[in-house]
Each structure stands twice: as structure tokens, then as C-alpha cells.
């Protein structure tokens, strides 16, 4: 079946000497993997590979056989031409980390238009702003809304956040954050991309990042800690 859709590049893996396997989150069909033959062998190789940088947003035409095998692109073009994301060291490190997080988080081959729209809007915002210290934290927390484990904030005034059940509680249990960590987490829940990014210190961001990674690992089977985490910490230290 020939499909025209937007797609966000989640990962690209070199296959043998000349080809790529590209995993995309598509607007029309959710997660899809594509085989790009001879990606490194043509005169326009660098131009072709540039399409598949982390979290690039593409307009694709592809043949979907839907048999669990690798699909094939027929045409590719850039849907949202980023101005700074792949050239700014802080932003490029951030999207490399986020693409890894999404790689281990989006696991189903099914349409999720609301998640796609959220990611596209968020990435476009990132490309046009410079005050971005908390962007990755906000995006990861907001993404849990679309993955089905956003914290229950109905009793957010209670002192402890319980990670396993995703609720705020009166008592400190085995899976609970400390009161200080819970307070930081509450501040993050209230935060939006356009808010003052200086609301957290560096150490507080590191605490929140660890909380979010742990939260994802509690709620997603097969989730792995991203390899780019240490690079991200280095850039934000």
C-alpha cells in the first residue's frame, strides 16, 4: 500500500557498508522501520543521510506492506526545516537523548496522532527558542500523557509521589520519592515550555532527569537507560 504521511525520525542504524535501517514514528501508522539501500554510496549521500538525523520531521511517500518486515521509501522531503536543532550543540545533544528515550518508549505499530502532533509542535518550539534548559524534562513528562502513565494529580497537595502507581500519597512508601524530590516533581508538573527556565538549578535538573528515567523504566517493559545520558549531563553541567 502506498502511503503519504509525515514521519519523525526516531533512530537510524548503519546496515552493512552502504545501507541504513531507519525507524520512524509516522502520523499515519505509528512506528515503522524502513530500509534505505545505498545510503552511503551515491554522490548525494550526505544529502540523503541528513534526512535521518535524530527527530527530523519528514514528509514521506512509502510502500507499506504491513507484514512485519522493513518497509521502503519512495520519496522523502523535509516537512519542517530546522534552523538550529542540528547545529546548536546543546539542542543536538538534547534531541539525540530524546530520540533514544522515544526509541525505547514508543513500542506499538499503531497510530497515535495526538502524540505525533505534540512532538512536532514541541520540536518546532525548540528550534525557535534559546532558553531551553528544561525542555527535555517537560517533553518527557508530557509524553507520558500519550503513553498512558501521566501522574495522577488529583491529590497533588499530598507530600510524597509514589512512582509505581503514579499518585501522590500521605505516607512515604518503598516506591516513593522523598519529600524534596516530590516537591521538585510538582514544580515540573506545573511547568510549560514558555515558563522561566531558571526555575531549577543544575543539580535539581539532574535529580528530575533521574526521576523521569526511573519513572519510564517502572512503567515500560524493555525500557533501557539511554547511552547518550552522560553526554547530556556533560553539556548541562
Amino acid at each position: 500500500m502506498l502511503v503519504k504521511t509525515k514521519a519523525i525520525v526516531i533512530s537510524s542504524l548503519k546496515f552493512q557498508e552502504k545501507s541504513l535501517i531507519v525507524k520512524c514514528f509516522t502520523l499515519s501508522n505509528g512506528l515503522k522501520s524502513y530500509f534505505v539501500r545505498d545510503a552511503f554510496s551515491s554522490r548525494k549521500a550526505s544529502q540523503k543521510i541528513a534526512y535521518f538525523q535524530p527527530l527530523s520531521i519528514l514528509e514521506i511517500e512509502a510502500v507499506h506492506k504491513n507484514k512485519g518486515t522493513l518497509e521502503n521509501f519512495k520519496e522523502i522531503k523535509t516537512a519542517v526545516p530546522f534552523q538550529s536543532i542540528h547545529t546548536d550543540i546543546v539542542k543536538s545533544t538534547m534531541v539525540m537523548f530524546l530520540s533514544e528515550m522515544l526509541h525505547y518508549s514508543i513500542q506499538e505499530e499503531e497510530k497515535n496522532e495526538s502524540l505525533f502532533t505534540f512532538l512536532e509542535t514541541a520540536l518546532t518550539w525548540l528550534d525557535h527558542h534559546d532558553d531551553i534548559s528544561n525542555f527535555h524534562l517537560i517533553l518527557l513528562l508530557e509524553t507520558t500523557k500519550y503513553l498512558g502513565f501521566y501522574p495522577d494529580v488529583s491529590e497533588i497537595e499530598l507530600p510524597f509521589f509514589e512512582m509505581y502507581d503514579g499518585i501522590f500519597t500521605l505516607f512515604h512508601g518503598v516506591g516513593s520519592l522523598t519529600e524534596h524530590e516530590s516537591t521538585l516533581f510538582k514544580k515540573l508538573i506545573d511547568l510549560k515550555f514558555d515558563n522561566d527556565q531558571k526555575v531549577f538549578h543544575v543539580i535539581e535538573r539532574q535529580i528530575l532527569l533521574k526521576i523521569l528515567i526511573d519513572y519510564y523504566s517502572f512503567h515500560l517493559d524493555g525500557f533501557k537507560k539511554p547511552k547518550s545520558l552522560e553526554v547530556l549531563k556533560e553539556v548541562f553541567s
Side-chain angles (χ1 to χ4, degrees):
M1 179 172 66
L2 188 63
V3 175
K4 290 184 177 181
T5 183
K6 281 184 176 179
I8 298 172
V9 176
I10 301 297
S11 66
S12 58
L13 179 68
K14 193 172 183 180
F15 179 74
Q16 296 179 343
E17 286 300 310
K18 299 178 180 178
S19 302
L20 273 177
I21 295 172
V22 180
K23 184 176 285 188
C24 291
F25 180 52
T26 69
L27 179 60
S28 63
N29 296 85
L31 207 59
K32 283 285 181 186
S33 293
Y34 300 88
F35 184 65
V36 184
R37 190 183 303 278
D38 298 333
F40 295 91
S41 60
S42 70
R43 226 180 262 176
K44 293 183 178 178
S46 60
Q47 185 180 337
K48 187 183 285 189
I49 295 162
Y51 285 127
F52 306 121
Q53 293 183 82
L55 303 188
S56 292
I57 304 174
L58 307 175
E59 190 79 51
I60 66 168
E61 191 173 311
V63 177
H64 287 177
K65 295 179 180 176
N66 298 318
K67 293 181 178 178
T69 55
L70 294 172
E71 313 290 15
N72 291 286
F73 294 117
K74 282 185 71 70
E75 281 190 33
I76 309 167
K77 62 183 180 182
T78 301
V80 180
F82 292 141
Q83 304 301 313
S84 64
I85 280 181
H86 293 132
T87 54
D88 180 295
I89 184 65
V90 174
K91 292 182 182 181
S92 62
T93 304
M94 197 178 270
V95 297
M96 179 172 65
F97 165 75
L98 289 170
S99 69
E100 269 197 273
M101 287 290 292
L102 293 170
H103 175 76
Y104 292 121
S105 304
I106 303 173
Q107 299 163 343
E108 299 299 323
E109 275 198 33
E110 56 185 49
K111 184 191 292 191
N112 190 337
E113 286 188 14
S114 55
L115 174 56
F116 187 98
T117 302
F118 165 69
L119 292 174
E120 181 181 25
T121 303
L123 290 166
T124 303
W125 184 94
L126 176 66
D127 191 50
H128 289 93
H129 291 80
D130 296 320
D131 198 7
I132 58 162
S133 304
N134 302 316
F135 175 84
H136 56 309
L137 303 174
I138 300 168
L139 184 135
L140 289 176
L141 182 59
E142 289 294 308
T143 296
T144 65
K145 287 180 180 175
Y146 307 98
L147 298 177
F149 56 98
Y150 187 75
D152 180 349
V153 296
S154 59
E155 295 185 289
I156 198 170
E157 74 282 354
L158 297 178
F160 301 105
F161 181 68
E162 211 292 320
M163 297 276 272
Y164 294 105
D165 295 326
I167 60 173
F168 287 89
T169 65
L170 188 57
F171 304 103
H172 187 270
V174 176
S176 298
L177 301 179
T178 66
E179 193 163 358
H180 173 61
E181 290 169 340
S182 299
T183 300
L184 287 177
F185 197 55
K186 290 176 187 182
K187 282 174 73 175
L188 179 60
I189 286 171
D190 286 337
L191 213 56
K192 301 289 183 281
F193 290 133
D194 283 322
N195 291 152
D196 180 10
Q197 298 288 302
K198 296 178 180 64
V199 66
F200 298 121
H201 299 300
V202 172
I203 299 299
E204 291 175 332
R205 285 195 196 97
Q206 290 179 356
I207 291 169
L208 283 165
L209 187 56
K210 183 184 184 304
I211 289 169
L212 286 164
I213 290 171
D214 288 345
Y215 191 50
Y216 270 65
S217 65
F218 286 149
H219 291 271
L220 294 171
D221 292 335
F223 180 82
K224 296 179 183 177
K225 186 184 288 187
K227 294 176 183 175
S228 57
L229 178 60
E230 293 308 314
V231 183
L232 184 76
K233 285 181 180 176
E234 190 71 30
V235 168
F236 277 95
S237 63

